[in-house]
Amino acid sequence: MSGPDLGTAQEHYLAAAIAAARQGRSEGGIPIGAALVSANGEILATGYNKRVQLGSAIRHGETDALENAGRLPASVYARSTMVTTLSPCDMCTGAILLYKIPRVVVGENRTFYGGEDLLRSRGVEVVVVDDDECVQLMTEFIAAEPQLWNEDIGEEA
């Protein structure tokens, strides 16, 4: 198994991603957060969906965390874990595959099931926590702003 031991620290990493998601929502954005965690357990960066705040087409939680981490050697990504509050969409799945991140911890996949099957088919370890707080964040958001949610996942309202 590659990456940090998430058994004992998983809640800490997921809490960082949830805090990022809450920050995004407090700014009027979409409550999806992520944390990039190094092999030694250090949080390299967190990020959250900033599509609304930046008028961006691509700043999802995972891509924002990667951007906030800055340029890193390929070997760092290859030993890291992406922790995300929501199942990664196809775009974020592609970024995870591009940088050969070997493990993804998903807060929840009930409200949205993204590229988990593709990740697994490419050898990425996917751990689904099914965290109630993550589910609540998305359930409340989708109910309050269905048009914005559909825009975020590339769907028509």
Side-chain angles (χ1 to χ4, degrees):
M1 199 183 295
S2 56
D5 175 11
L6 294 179
T8 57
Q10 182 169 281
E11 288 181 21
H12 170 69
Y13 303 131
L14 187 57
I18 291 170
R22 289 193 180 285
Q23 175 67 35
R25 188 65 184 132
S26 76
E27 296 172 2
I30 299 164
I32 303 169
L36 183 64
V37 181
S38 73
N40 67 6
E42 173 191 0
I43 295 176
L44 298 170
T46 60
Y48 55 92
N49 187 305
K50 292 181 181 159
R51 290 187 66 252
V52 171
Q53 298 91 319
L54 299 178
S56 172
I58 61 169
R59 282 303 265 280
H60 283 192
E62 299 89 336
T63 56
D64 190 52
L66 290 167
E67 180 68 15
N68 291 339
R71 293 173 57 193
L72 298 171
S75 61
V76 173
Y77 296 115
R79 294 188 317 268
S80 294
T81 296
M82 180 66 74
V83 180
T84 180
T85 59
L86 185 65
S87 184
C89 72
D90 289 344
M91 177 177 66
C92 294
T93 294
I96 290 163
L97 292 172
L98 175 69
Y99 289 106
K100 298 177 177 59
I101 297 170
R103 182 190 297 175
V104 178
V105 174
V106 176
E108 70 100 350
N109 63 4
R110 284 190 251 165
T111 60
F112 178 78
Y113 191 91
E116 294 173 39
D117 295 334
L118 177 58
L119 289 168
R120 286 184 184 102
S121 78
R122 298 281 297 272
V124 176
E125 178 186 0
V126 179
V127 177
V128 180
V129 178
D130 196 28
D131 181 82
D132 289 334
E133 187 175 2
C134 291
V135 173
Q136 182 181 0
L137 275 170
M138 287 310 299
T139 301
E140 290 173 359
F141 170 73
I142 293 168
E145 302 206 43
Q147 185 173 355
L148 182 56
W149 171 240
N150 283 325
E151 175 190 320
D152 194 61
I153 59 173
E155 299 285 334
E156 288 295 324

